[in-house]
Amino acid sequence: MDFFYGDQWGTVSNDTKNIPRAMFNLCKLHINNRQSNIVSVPVSFMYYTSSGVEDSNLMTKFVSYLLKEMKHDKFRRIAVKEADIKGTSVSHLYYDAYTLGTYGDYKGSLKEEIIDFKNVVVANPSNKDIQSQEWIIIKKVVPKRKIEKMLKGNSESIRKLNNECQTNDDGSVKQEGTDLVATFLKYYRINGEVYHSYSTRDIEIYKDRPLNPYLINIKVENKENDTEIVNIPGELVENDINSYNKIHFYRYPVHVLTLNDSDNSIYGISALKDAISTQKIINQTVSMQVLNLMVMAWDKYVVHP
């Protein structure tokens, strides 16, 4: 990232303090060129259903509108850029009940975000297929008030939360006024269906919550007195158990993009790995030439005592 954004000389040393810091950012030019070649190709989705052409066209238009609403093109450009610079880009889809979206059975809409691959942990890093992982953990930093709202007045959990906001993982004291807390979202499968749990360092906020809304509804129906399952994205219009027999959530809402694969690893290789050494040579060569011009620009006077 430093070479892409122009920080290519590093710290000043005694050997380089007098050298002009010339820079031709070929790394940025290289990445922007690769990115434009990839994202300039339009991508569209066409759906075909057994019920007829009209339903197929309706589904295709709905998905097209949904992608525009999610600003998928923007996140696509960011994902390609990060995959080129860092080697790996991770996209995460989630349902936000507080986002205005298209009219439907649920309040809210789908949203997309790009997660730094350093904040994503998988069960088996040597397995390149993200969908065959046993579990996936995503680390995110969120405001404390968001977690307090989810804890619903649990005094013991709120006390632990306040302690987390004051200390780091190693026990050191955080900067005063910090109102952020690290959270961990874990995806896994139970009987093939994708479930998720949410926690902080010391607090379990919820566990074993399915992505499938019909599966949530079945649980509520079978356990009428169970008040634990309350974080449903909107109100279900009807309890359609037959729909559950047709709709299943078998895939993780996580996608890993690598443009340069590495052997036996889910993580890719940066496109700048081979270009950085060349970039250093170019910068140093031009800087030495500029220094030579500065030294030889004017005639020197020889003064004898």
Side-chain angles (χ1 to χ4, degrees):
M1 294 296 288
D2 291 342
F3 271 77
F4 177 82
Y5 289 114
D7 186 11
Q8 300 181 354
W9 278 91
T11 57
V12 179
S13 64
N14 292 330
D15 297 332
T16 61
K17 64 181 181 181
N18 295 322
I19 299 178
R21 279 163 171 70
M23 183 189 64
F24 293 89
N25 200 341
L26 300 181
C27 289
K28 188 173 185 177
L29 178 65
H30 178 56
I31 293 297
N32 289 341
N33 183 57
R34 284 171 56 93
Q35 180 186 5
S36 63
N37 288 336
I38 296 174
V39 300
S40 61
V41 179
V43 177
S44 60
F45 297 91
M46 299 291 293
Y47 287 85
Y48 298 92
T49 65
S50 58
S51 57
V53 178
E54 185 176 350
D55 289 341
S56 300
N57 293 335
L58 185 64
M59 185 64 183
T60 300
K61 291 179 180 179
F62 172 76
V63 172
S64 177
Y65 177 82
L66 190 62
L67 291 175
K68 290 181 180 179
E69 185 181 76
M70 294 166 52
K71 300 179 179 179
H72 178 68
D73 286 342
K74 168 189 172 183
F75 290 106
R76 180 168 167 248
R77 290 194 297 270
I78 296 175
V80 171
K81 177 181 175 182
E82 287 215 355
D84 244 351
I85 298 175
K86 300 180 180 179
T88 306
S89 174
V90 181
S91 303
H92 176 222
L93 287 173
Y94 64 99
Y95 197 94
D96 189 352
Y98 301 99
T99 298
L100 295 177
T102 54
Y103 178 78
D105 293 346
Y106 298 93
K107 298 177 182 178
S109 182
L110 282 175
K111 294 189 71 175
E112 184 176 1
E113 61 181 348
I114 305 297
I115 305 293
D116 191 335
F117 76 94
K118 296 179 181 178
N119 293 327
V120 179
V121 183
V122 296
N124 183 9
S126 62
N127 183 2
K128 294 185 178 183
D129 184 11
I130 189 68
Q131 294 300 328
S132 63
Q133 296 288 341
E134 183 181 353
W135 49 260
I136 304 169
I137 297 178
I138 299 175
K139 178 184 177 181
K140 293 178 63 177
V141 177
V142 300
K144 184 180 72 172
R145 63 180 181 274
K146 181 179 179 180
I147 305 301
E148 287 178 337
K149 186 176 180 180
M150 299 180 71
L151 294 176
K152 298 182 178 180
N154 188 320
S155 57
E156 179 63 22
S157 296
I158 292 177
R159 182 189 64 79
K160 293 181 179 179
L161 181 64
N162 292 331
N163 182 59
E164 286 191 42
C165 291
Q166 296 173 3
T167 59
N168 295 307
D169 293 340
D170 59 0
S172 60
V173 179
K174 289 185 178 180
Q175 181 179 350
E176 185 176 354
T178 301
D179 196 24
L180 299 173
V181 61
T183 61
F184 303 93
L185 177 63
K186 182 177 181 180
Y187 288 107
Y188 48 95
R189 291 188 178 94
I190 299 178
N191 297 327
E193 290 277 354
V194 175
Y195 284 69
H196 55 102
S197 299
Y198 196 49
S199 65
T200 66
R201 186 183 66 192
D202 301 323
I203 306 168
E204 184 181 76
I205 301 172
Y206 65 78
K207 65 178 296 185
D208 294 346
R209 188 163 293 173
L211 289 182
N212 193 335
Y214 296 107
L215 193 59
I216 296 176
N217 200 37
I218 291 173
K219 281 193 172 184
V220 173
E221 183 197 43
N222 292 340
K223 301 180 181 180
E224 295 180 355
N225 298 326
D226 188 357
T227 58
E228 296 292 329
I229 306 173
V230 292
N231 190 21
I232 300 177
E235 297 180 359
L236 200 60
V237 173
E238 61 182 358
N239 184 13
D240 189 359
I241 297 181
N242 292 328
S243 296
Y244 169 66
N245 296 326
K246 301 177 182 179
I247 300 175
H248 298 277
F249 283 65
Y250 292 148
R251 298 180 63 84
Y252 294 123
V254 180
H255 174 68
V256 175
L257 174 64
T258 58
L259 301 179
N260 300 290
D261 293 338
S262 57
D263 293 337
N264 300 321
S265 177
I266 195 173
Y267 304 109
I269 302 173
S270 171
L272 298 180
K273 182 178 180 180
D274 300 328
I276 288 177
S277 58
T278 304
Q279 178 73 72
K280 288 181 178 180
I281 294 174
I282 293 173
N283 291 345
Q284 292 171 0
T285 302
V286 174
S287 297
M288 292 300 292
Q289 291 174 346
V290 173
L291 179 61
N292 181 64
L293 290 175
M294 292 172 60
V295 173
M296 304 299 295
W298 295 278
D299 294 335
K300 304 299 184 290
Y301 291 94
V302 179
V303 180
H304 298 282

